[in-house]
Amino acid sequence: MRRKVIAGNWKMNNDAEQSVQLINTLLQKLPQTHAEVVIAPSFVNLALAVEKTKNSPIIVAAQNMHFAEKGAFTGEVSASMLEAIGIKTTILGHSERREYFNETDESLAKKVDTALAHHFRIIFCIGEKLAERKAGKHFEVVKGQIEKALFHLPQQAWTSIILAYEPVWAIGTGETATPEQAQEIHAFIRKIVADKYGKTVADDLSILYGGSCNAKNAASLFANPDVDGGLIGGAALIVDDFITIIQAMK
Ligand code: 13P
């Protein structure tokens, strides 16, 4: 079944104390919603976030994980380590990981396989850069990213996948895709998944929008039939804004 999801990607923000504060306020103010609410703190604060959100509807996700089960990968975190502290959801393929940490479609395909082998749910990020959008290549870029990292999967794996379309030019820039731009490419994404896996898989797939989604523009983005929620960066760090965004999901 297609779910509505509002996910906060905290990126490299919030130390332990700030994380606890944000979670506590979020729990106090959390509105009634049919959307799934996800937060993705940094690795070091994940265990604490799981502890603080137990008995609440908030789901805690990792921002990344390594594809190897274990071994000599200094500075990395494995799926089993995350599992051991109660994490069952991870973001993968964020454009900042692709840009600054050389993640490729090929390495991401391996991460996807490992995450699925551990029965994780994956929020998989895709999206074009500004030059690609200007050159009219955004459809092609997004299609390539999905094909290379996800089209080797068997059909049943798709129940564990959430896609997040995040145009790189909109991330942290204050420039948001218009509702029309978001709907256009979300519908395209759903169509390419339908062409490969069939209409039921595509209809059940949640496709989130990310990139300067905020308290002001969330409602107009979420009003689109193919926008099933948001992956929120900066605005997820401001509790009242995050709450407004959750409320914007009707
Ligand atoms: P901003 O909402 O800060 O633009 O970040 C979006 C994002 O990258 C979420 O993963």
Side-chain angles (χ1 to χ4, degrees), residues 9 11 94 96 166 170-172 210-213 231-234:
N9 175 10
K11 308 190 179 183
H94 193 280
E96 288 149 15
E166 299 205 305
I171 296 177
S212 297
C213 180
L231 182 54
I232 318 297

Side-chain angles (χ1 to χ4, degrees), residues 223-240:
N224 289 292
D226 287 299
V227 179
D228 305 307
L231 182 54
I232 318 297
L237 302 173
I238 305 162
V239 76
D240 287 336

